[in-house]
Short mmCIF file of all heavy atoms in Angstrom, two decimals:
data_model
loop_
_atom_site.label_atom_id
_atom_site.label_comp_id
_atom_site.label_asym_id
_atom_site.label_seq_id
_atom_site.Cartn_x
_atom_site.Cartn_y
_atom_site.Cartn_z
N VAL A 51 88.05 112.10 106.03
CA VAL A 51 88.57 113.39 106.49
C VAL A 51 88.90 114.30 105.28
O VAL A 51 88.56 115.49 105.27
CB VAL A 51 89.87 113.23 107.34
CG1 VAL A 51 90.49 114.57 107.61
CG2 VAL A 51 89.51 112.54 108.63
N LEU A 52 89.48 113.70 104.24
CA LEU A 52 89.81 114.52 103.06
C LEU A 52 88.48 115.10 102.41
O LEU A 52 88.47 116.22 102.01
CB LEU A 52 90.55 113.70 102.01
CG LEU A 52 91.93 113.11 102.44
CD1 LEU A 52 92.66 112.60 101.23
CD2 LEU A 52 92.77 114.11 103.21
N GLY A 53 87.44 114.29 102.54
CA GLY A 53 86.12 114.76 102.02
C GLY A 53 85.63 115.95 102.81
O GLY A 53 85.00 116.85 102.28
N LEU A 54 85.87 115.98 104.12
CA LEU A 54 85.44 117.06 104.98
C LEU A 54 86.18 118.39 104.63
O LEU A 54 85.71 119.48 104.99
CB LEU A 54 85.69 116.76 106.49
CG LEU A 54 84.87 115.64 107.06
CD1 LEU A 54 85.32 115.37 108.54
CD2 LEU A 54 83.40 116.00 107.06
N LEU A 55 87.32 118.25 103.99
CA LEU A 55 88.14 119.46 103.68
C LEU A 55 87.97 119.86 102.20
O LEU A 55 88.76 120.67 101.70
CB LEU A 55 89.61 119.19 104.00
CG LEU A 55 89.86 118.95 105.49
CD1 LEU A 55 91.16 118.21 105.70
CD2 LEU A 55 89.88 120.31 106.23
N ALA A 56 86.95 119.31 101.53
CA ALA A 56 86.79 119.54 100.10
C ALA A 56 86.52 121.01 99.71
O ALA A 56 86.81 121.43 98.60
CB ALA A 56 85.63 118.65 99.58
N ASP A 57 85.97 121.78 100.68
CA ASP A 57 85.62 123.18 100.36
C ASP A 57 86.79 124.13 100.50
O ASP A 57 86.65 125.29 100.28
CB ASP A 57 84.45 123.63 101.27
CG ASP A 57 83.18 122.97 100.92
OD1 ASP A 57 83.08 122.45 99.76
OD2 ASP A 57 82.28 122.90 101.77
N PHE A 58 87.96 123.63 100.91
CA PHE A 58 89.10 124.56 100.99
C PHE A 58 89.43 125.03 99.58
O PHE A 58 89.64 124.18 98.67
CB PHE A 58 90.35 123.90 101.61
CG PHE A 58 91.46 124.84 101.75
CD1 PHE A 58 91.52 125.76 102.81
CD2 PHE A 58 92.49 124.89 100.79
CE1 PHE A 58 92.57 126.64 102.95
CE2 PHE A 58 93.54 125.80 100.89
CZ PHE A 58 93.58 126.70 101.98
N PRO A 59 89.49 126.33 99.32
CA PRO A 59 89.55 126.79 97.96
C PRO A 59 90.91 126.75 97.26
O PRO A 59 91.01 126.77 96.05
CB PRO A 59 89.10 128.27 98.11
CG PRO A 59 89.39 128.66 99.49
CD PRO A 59 89.28 127.41 100.31
N GLY A 60 92.02 126.61 98.03
CA GLY A 60 93.34 126.61 97.41
C GLY A 60 93.92 125.23 97.30
O GLY A 60 93.24 124.23 97.53
N PRO A 61 95.23 125.13 96.97
CA PRO A 61 95.90 123.82 96.86
C PRO A 61 95.84 123.10 98.24
O PRO A 61 96.02 123.74 99.27
CB PRO A 61 97.32 124.17 96.50
CG PRO A 61 97.27 125.54 95.86
CD PRO A 61 96.10 126.24 96.55
N ARG A 62 95.62 121.81 98.19
CA ARG A 62 95.57 121.00 99.38
C ARG A 62 96.68 119.92 99.32
O ARG A 62 96.68 119.13 98.41
CB ARG A 62 94.19 120.30 99.49
CG ARG A 62 93.09 121.25 99.88
CD ARG A 62 91.72 120.70 99.62
NE ARG A 62 91.31 120.94 98.25
CZ ARG A 62 90.31 120.35 97.64
NH1 ARG A 62 89.62 119.45 98.24
NH2 ARG A 62 90.00 120.68 96.40
N LEU A 63 97.59 120.01 100.27
CA LEU A 63 98.78 119.16 100.29
C LEU A 63 98.75 118.25 101.50
O LEU A 63 98.26 118.66 102.54
CB LEU A 63 100.04 120.02 100.30
CG LEU A 63 100.06 121.27 99.37
CD1 LEU A 63 101.36 122.02 99.58
CD2 LEU A 63 99.86 120.85 97.92
N MET A 64 99.34 117.04 101.35
CA MET A 64 99.30 116.17 102.53
C MET A 64 100.47 115.19 102.55
O MET A 64 101.08 114.89 101.50
CB MET A 64 97.97 115.33 102.61
CG MET A 64 97.54 114.57 101.40
SD MET A 64 98.41 113.01 101.05
CE MET A 64 98.30 112.12 102.56
N VAL A 65 100.83 114.73 103.75
CA VAL A 65 101.60 113.52 103.93
C VAL A 65 100.77 112.64 104.91
O VAL A 65 100.06 113.15 105.71
CB VAL A 65 103.01 113.77 104.55
CG1 VAL A 65 103.80 114.73 103.70
CG2 VAL A 65 102.88 114.36 105.98
N PRO A 66 100.85 111.32 104.74
CA PRO A 66 100.12 110.48 105.69
C PRO A 66 100.88 110.37 107.04
O PRO A 66 102.03 110.73 107.17
CB PRO A 66 100.10 109.12 105.00
CG PRO A 66 101.25 109.10 104.07
CD PRO A 66 101.56 110.52 103.73
N GLY A 67 100.16 109.87 108.02
CA GLY A 67 100.78 109.53 109.30
C GLY A 67 100.70 108.01 109.52
O GLY A 67 100.02 107.29 108.78
N ASN A 68 101.30 107.55 110.56
CA ASN A 68 101.27 106.12 110.85
C ASN A 68 99.85 105.60 111.03
O ASN A 68 99.51 104.50 110.56
CB ASN A 68 102.19 105.75 112.07
CG ASN A 68 101.91 106.59 113.27
OD1 ASN A 68 101.65 107.82 113.17
ND2 ASN A 68 101.92 105.99 114.44
N HIS A 69 98.99 106.36 111.68
CA HIS A 69 97.61 105.87 111.91
C HIS A 69 96.82 105.80 110.61
O HIS A 69 95.87 104.97 110.55
CB HIS A 69 96.90 106.80 112.88
CG HIS A 69 97.25 106.56 114.31
ND1 HIS A 69 96.52 105.78 115.17
CD2 HIS A 69 98.33 106.96 115.01
CE1 HIS A 69 97.09 105.73 116.34
NE2 HIS A 69 98.23 106.46 116.29
N ASP A 70 97.20 106.56 109.64
CA ASP A 70 96.46 106.45 108.31
C ASP A 70 96.77 105.15 107.64
O ASP A 70 96.03 104.71 106.74
CB ASP A 70 96.89 107.66 107.44
CG ASP A 70 96.55 109.00 108.06
OD1 ASP A 70 95.47 109.09 108.65
OD2 ASP A 70 97.40 109.92 107.96
N LEU A 71 97.87 104.49 108.05
CA LEU A 71 98.28 103.24 107.45
C LEU A 71 97.82 102.00 108.20
O LEU A 71 98.13 100.87 107.83
CB LEU A 71 99.80 103.18 107.32
CG LEU A 71 100.43 104.29 106.48
CD1 LEU A 71 101.96 104.20 106.51
CD2 LEU A 71 99.97 104.26 105.04
#
Side-chain angles (χ1 to χ4, degrees):
V51 171
L52 300 193
L54 293 175
L55 294 160
D57 290 339
F58 183 80
R62 286 164 274 165
L63 317 178
M64 53 76 52
V65 301
N68 50 320
H69 282 262
D70 300 320
L71 300 176

